[in-house]
């Protein structure tokens, strides 16, 4: 009964009634070249496809007649309380989708009781997004590149804005080979990127993001991150796809790991994030919490990732579709529908909460 009422309430707030219908509405509102920028991947998009097919390699194994109460989705990630095991991703250039950008995402997150990762390449500063919804100011994303003084300036602005940690995007030393954008001759409007770079620092922005389109800049290493950040603020290594890199990041001081192939947008023909997740979880051995992104489109996807050892799932394109479809209201609808599907899956699995979801909830579907 409660699920029916909450679904009806969602329908009253927003006309789209499923996640797929929100996706369709978003696509209908955007120019074709922006749709390609949002949905595209690198190379021939093999990794993009693998991110989705990875979920079909696992099937659920329920426990019927469990005698459990309604599932409890509450959890924590690095001290941040979450009403469900979900964070929103730091997708940049978000004003291409809606003029309120990550301010709208933050307000929706606050309403849903979760937090987000705010991007460096945003139209709004870290402070502006945090001010829009202080309770949702979980983490802020940074690219480990460029001049050290600029990097440290941004770290200080993240601390001043009240974020709980920094997410370092470690898999973006250059932009992936994105053929949809190449065919469209897509060029980014820098006004969608400058939020964390005031006018007097525009040269810093051009220098920092200019490196993403060249191959002659130095790639930072783990030792440099250890020296620059130390214990000044907890940081999460984003872009981890192997046990080797998981161990290296933890050795360098990472407080958490984000298993990610950048939504299939960076290295072509790389392992799907869900397929990499068990190896990373094993390498971490419980020493740090694990997040995962790339390819998540349903509540059932979230539950499978939790069963394979993730602590939280980071949603990028899902949140972006909600933003494009209806701003804050659209993102709120995405989060509500996601919550309801996760609740439904857990109840049918016979689990009383996310803490009861482990590998026993799955079996290989391709065995």
């Amino acid at each position: 009964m409660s699920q029916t009422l909450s679904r009806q309430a969602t329908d009253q707030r927003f006309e789209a009634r499923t996640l797929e219908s929100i996706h369709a509405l978003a696509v209908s509102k955007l120019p074709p070249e922006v749709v390609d920028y949002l949905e595209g991947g690198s190379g021939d998009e093999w990794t993009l496809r693998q991110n989705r097919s990875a979920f079909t390699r696992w099937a659920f194994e329920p426990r019927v007649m469990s005698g459990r109460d309604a599932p409890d989705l509450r959890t924590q990630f690095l001290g941040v309380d979450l009403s469900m095991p979900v964070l929103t991703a730091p997708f940049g250039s978000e004003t291409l989708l809606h003029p309120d950008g990550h301010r709208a995402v933050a307000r929706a997150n606050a309403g849903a009781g979760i937090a987000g990762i705010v991007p460096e390449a945003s139209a709004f500063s870290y402070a502006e997004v945090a001010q829009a919804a202080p309770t949702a100011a979980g983490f802020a994303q940074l690219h480990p590149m460029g001049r050290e003084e600029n990097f440290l300036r941004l770290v200080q602005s993240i601390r001043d804005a009240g974020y709980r940690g920094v997410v370092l995007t470690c898999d973006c030393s250059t932009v992936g080979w994105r053929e949809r954008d190449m065919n469209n001759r897509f060029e980014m409007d820098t006004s969608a990127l400058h939020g964390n770079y005031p006018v007097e620092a525009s040269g810093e922005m051009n220098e920092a993001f200019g490196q993403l389109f060249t191959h002659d800049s130095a790639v930072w290493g783990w030792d440099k991150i250890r020296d620059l950040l130390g214990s000044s603020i907890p940081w999460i290594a984003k872009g981890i796809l192997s046990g080797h890199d998981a161990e290296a990041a933890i050795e360098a001081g990472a407080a958490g790991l984000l298993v990610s192939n950048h939504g299939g947008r960076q290295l072509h023909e790389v392992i799907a994030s869900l397929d990499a997740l068990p190896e990373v979880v094993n390498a971490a051995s419980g020493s740090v919490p694990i997040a995962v992104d790339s390819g998540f489109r349903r509540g059932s996807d979230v539950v499978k990732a939790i069963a394979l050892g993730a602590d939280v799932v980071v949603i990028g394109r899902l949140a972006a579709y909600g933003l494009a479809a209806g701003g804050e209201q659209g993102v709120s609808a995405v989060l509500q529908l996601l919550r309801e599907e996760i609740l439904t899956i857990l109840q049918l699995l016979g689990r009383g909460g996310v803490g009861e979801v482990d590998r026993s909830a799955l079996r290989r579907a391709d065995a």
Side-chain angles (χ1 to χ4, degrees):
M1 184 67 170
S2 62
Q3 288 189 1
T4 302
L5 289 173
S6 60
R7 284 173 179 153
Q8 288 174 347
T10 299
D11 295 345
Q12 291 168 3
R13 290 196 304 271
F14 193 75
E15 64 183 57
R17 301 187 179 189
T18 65
L19 293 173
E20 180 54 39
S21 62
I22 291 175
H23 168 235
L25 180 59
V27 169
S28 73
K29 289 187 171 186
L30 296 173
E33 66 274 14
V34 175
V35 173
D36 279 345
Y37 171 74
L38 173 59
E39 300 201 317
S42 59
D44 66 1
E45 302 187 341
W46 181 87
T47 300
L48 197 69
R49 296 188 294 274
Q50 285 296 304
N51 279 341
R52 287 302 302 147
S53 64
F55 293 100
T56 69
R57 293 190 267 276
W58 295 97
F60 289 120
E61 183 172 309
R63 296 287 184 267
V64 299
M65 299 295 291
S66 67
R68 295 287 198 276
D69 293 330
D72 184 355
L73 302 189
R74 291 174 298 176
T75 189
Q76 274 195 345
F77 188 76
L78 285 177
V80 176
D81 292 325
L82 303 171
S83 67
M84 60 177 170
V86 171
L87 298 169
T88 54
F91 55 94
S93 312
E94 78 282 9
T95 50
L96 294 174
L97 311 177
H98 189 278
D100 275 348
H102 274 281
R103 295 184 303 181
V105 176
R107 290 192 292 265
N109 286 344
I114 67 166
I117 306 172
V118 177
E120 177 185 356
S122 171
F124 303 102
S125 70
Y126 299 127
E128 287 175 312
V129 177
Q131 289 163 5
T135 62
F139 306 95
Q141 177 261 356
L142 261 179
H143 293 83
M145 63 184 188
R147 288 185 290 160
E148 293 180 11
E149 57 267 33
N150 181 55
F151 178 83
L152 292 174
R153 176 184 70 81
L154 291 171
V155 170
Q156 186 60 49
S157 68
I158 288 167
R159 296 179 64 189
D160 291 345
Y163 291 90
R164 304 292 289 274
V166 172
V167 175
L168 295 180
T169 294
C170 302
D171 63 347
C172 199
S173 57
T174 190
V175 170
W177 193 257
R178 301 176 189 174
E179 294 186 350
R180 291 204 210 188
D181 293 345
M182 294 159 70
N183 284 328
N184 291 333
R185 298 185 179 182
F186 183 78
E187 294 186 6
M188 184 60 62
D189 179 358
T190 57
S191 67
L193 305 173
H194 67 61
N196 288 301
Y197 292 86
V199 173
E200 61 271 19
S202 59
E204 293 178 1
M205 183 186 77
N206 292 334
E207 177 185 341
F209 293 113
Q211 292 187 45
L212 297 179
F213 300 95
T214 65
H215 302 285
D216 57 1
S217 59
V219 176
W220 286 19
W222 295 118
D223 288 345
K224 187 166 187 173
I225 292 300
R226 182 195 293 111
D227 293 342
L228 287 176
L229 290 181
S231 59
S232 62
I233 189 169
W235 61 274
I236 299 162
K238 178 180 184 290
I240 303 301
L241 291 172
S242 68
H244 174 275
D245 278 355
E247 292 169 356
I250 294 169
E251 174 66 22
L257 304 175
L258 175 41
V259 181
S260 172
N261 61 32
H262 216 100
R265 295 165 68 82
Q266 282 298 98
L267 180 60
H268 179 41
E269 295 186 352
V270 73
I271 188 172
S273 290
L274 193 76
D275 288 340
L277 178 60
E279 180 179 327
V280 174
V281 169
N282 183 63
S285 300
S287 60
V288 298
I290 308 292
V292 62
D293 70 21
S294 302
F296 288 84
R297 299 291 183 273
R298 308 194 58 90
S300 55
D301 300 340
V302 173
V303 177
K304 287 180 180 180
I306 300 301
L308 290 172
D311 294 286
V312 297
V313 167
V314 180
I315 59 166
R317 287 184 176 94
L318 270 182
Y321 294 145
L323 182 64
E328 177 186 346
Q329 191 179 49
V331 180
S332 293
V334 164
L335 296 176
Q336 178 68 9
L337 289 166
L338 201 60
R339 178 191 303 279
E340 290 297 330
E341 187 180 359
I342 294 171
L343 282 168
T344 299
I345 296 295
L346 289 192
Q347 189 157 350
L348 291 174
L349 280 174
R351 267 64 175 186
V354 292
E356 296 182 17
V357 178
D358 57 21
R359 187 71 73 92
S360 67
L362 300 177
R363 64 169 60 185
R364 292 292 298 193
D366 55 358

